[in-house]
Amino acid sequence: EKRERERRREARGVLRVREKELPWEMDSRCMRKVATGATVGGSLGGAIGAMYGTYEAFRYQIPGLYKIRYIGQTTVSSAAIFGLFLGAGSFLQCGRSSGGY
C-alpha cells in the first residue's frame, strides 16, 4: 500500500524529498546558478557599458563612425567583466551553500 501511494504521488508529479542530493545533481544545479549569474552580469554590464560608452563618446567628441566602434568596445568589455565577476561570485556562493568546492 505504501509503495502504491508513492507511485501515485510520483505519477502526479510530487517528488519526494531526499535527505542528500546526488553529486551530479548538485553539480548541475551549481553550474546552472553560475551560468545564470554570468548571463545576468553580462546583460547588466552590457547595458551599463552602452550608456557609459555613449556618454564618453559624446563627451570627448569622438569623430564619426569611431563613436559606434567606441560604444561597441565599451559595451562588450563591460559585459565580459561584469559577467565574469558575477559568474565567479555565483560559483563561490554555490560552493559555500552546498558544502562543496
Side-chain angles (χ1 to χ4, degrees):
E1 182 177 315
K2 185 177 181 181
R3 181 171 279 201
E4 180 64 29
R5 256 188 283 144
E6 286 182 14
R7 191 178 60 76
R8 275 188 270 150
R9 286 173 68 199
E10 287 176 2
R12 283 192 315 236
V14 178
L15 300 174
R16 60 185 169 150
V17 178
R18 284 188 228 129
E19 288 181 25
K20 232 177 172 184
E21 286 186 319
L22 299 172
W24 59 85
E25 290 174 344
M26 184 174 61
D27 290 344
S28 172
R29 191 183 68 200
C30 189
M31 286 299 123
R32 201 173 324 123
K33 284 184 180 181
V34 170
T36 302
T39 304
V40 169
S43 300
L44 181 65
I48 290 173
M51 289 189 300
Y52 184 68
T54 303
Y55 169 74
E56 273 199 345
F58 284 103
R59 180 178 180 201
Y60 294 117
Q61 297 175 349
I62 296 175
L65 292 176
Y66 287 117
K67 279 185 179 124
I68 295 173
R69 179 177 163 191
Y70 186 79
I71 293 168
Q73 284 178 342
T74 56
T75 300
V76 170
S77 63
S78 181
I81 294 296
F82 270 72
L84 175 74
F85 282 116
L86 202 58
S90 298
F91 180 72
L92 292 174
Q93 186 67 28
C94 179
R96 184 177 297 149
S97 65
S98 65
Y101 304 106

